[in-house]
Amino acid sequence: MRGLWKFAYWPLAWAASLLIPALACPQRLHGSAYWASFALGIAVAAWGVAHVSVAGRTLRLLGHSRPGGGPWPDVLVTSGIYSCMRHPQHMGLAAIPVGLALMSGSPAAVIGSGWAVAAALAFVVLVEEPECRSRFGRDYQDYASSVPPFSLDPRCLIRGIAFIRGLRNRAVARRAGPGG
C-alpha cells in the first residue's frame, strides 16, 4: 500500500493542469489551426505513451530480482531506454497532457499543460530522485552522475524499443531450445 499515492498523482496533476484552464477560458482554435494543433497533439501524446510503455516494459523485465516482485523495482535498471535517461516514464507522463492539450485546441489548456510538465519535474526532483538514491545507494549516485534525468533525443526511444525486442528474441530462442 505504501507509495500507491504515486498512481493518483498523475491523473490529478493532469486534470488540474488541463481541465481548470480549459473550463475557465473555453476559447478554441478553429479551422486549419485547430487541425494542425490536433495533429501535433496526437504525435506528442503518442511519443509520451511510447516512452511510458517502453520504460514500463523495461522495468518489468529487468527491475525485479524475483518474478512478480511487486510494483516497485528492486534492481537498478540502466539498460535500454534507461541508458540515456533516468526517468523516461515521467518524461512520457509529462508529454501526454501536452499532447492532449494540443488535441483539445484550447490555448488555455496548452498553457495549463505547462503546469503538468512542472509537476513532472517537481515529482522527479522531490520524490523519485531521493527514493532512488535511498533504494540503490552509490550505484544510483554513479548512474546519476553520467546519465541525465530526461532526454529529448529520439534515439533513446529507438534504443529502448530495440533493447526490448532483443530481450524478447533471446527469450524466444531460449524457450525453443537447441536446434529450435
Side-chain angles (χ1 to χ4, degrees), residues 54 58 80-82 155-165:
V54 168
T58 304
I81 197 167
Y82 287 92
R155 292 175 294 184
C156 289
L157 185 58
I158 293 166
R159 183 183 300 170
I161 292 168
F163 182 77
I164 289 171
R165 284 185 177 155

Side-chain angles (χ1 to χ4, degrees), residues 58-77 135-136:
T58 304
L59 283 180
R60 184 176 50 83
L61 292 168
L62 301 176
H64 301 283
S65 57
R66 56 186 171 77
W72 315 120
D74 62 348
V75 174
L76 178 61
V77 177
R135 181 178 295 146
F136 301 116

Side-chain angles (χ1 to χ4, degrees), residues 7-179:
F7 289 111
Y9 178 84
W10 292 105
L12 292 174
W14 288 1
S17 66
L18 295 174
L19 293 177
I20 293 170
L23 294 174
C25 187
Q27 289 86 6
R28 299 277 186 270
L29 299 174
H30 299 284
S32 60
Y34 169 77
W35 290 109
S37 179
F38 187 82
L40 181 59
I42 288 174
V44 171
W47 185 80
V49 168
H51 275 76
V52 171
S53 176
V54 168
R57 287 180 185 194
T58 304
L59 283 180
R60 184 176 50 83
L61 292 168
L62 301 176
H64 301 283
S65 57
R66 56 186 171 77
W72 315 120
D74 62 348
V75 174
L76 178 61
V77 177
T78 60
S79 303
I81 197 167
Y82 287 92
S83 67
C84 54
M85 73 178 101
R86 298 191 310 266
H87 301 286
Q89 280 187 314
H90 295 102
M91 183 158 163
L93 289 168
I96 292 168
V98 174
L100 295 175
L102 287 165
M103 285 190 287
S104 78
S106 166
V110 172
I111 292 167
S113 69
W115 289 105
V117 173
L121 294 173
F123 188 83
V124 167
V125 169
L126 299 173
V127 177
E128 286 296 317
E129 283 289 313
E131 195 173 283
C132 289
R133 290 180 198 288
S134 171
R135 181 178 295 146
F136 301 116
R138 183 74 188 150
D139 289 340
Y140 190 80
Q141 290 285 109
D142 295 341
Y143 173 58
S145 70
S146 62
V147 176
F150 303 108
S151 174
L152 295 174
D153 188 340
R155 292 175 294 184
C156 289
L157 185 58
I158 293 166
R159 183 183 300 170
I161 292 168
F163 182 77
I164 289 171
R165 284 185 177 155
L167 288 176
R168 192 175 350 143
N169 292 342
R170 284 193 293 275
V172 169
R174 264 196 313 272
R175 281 195 299 268

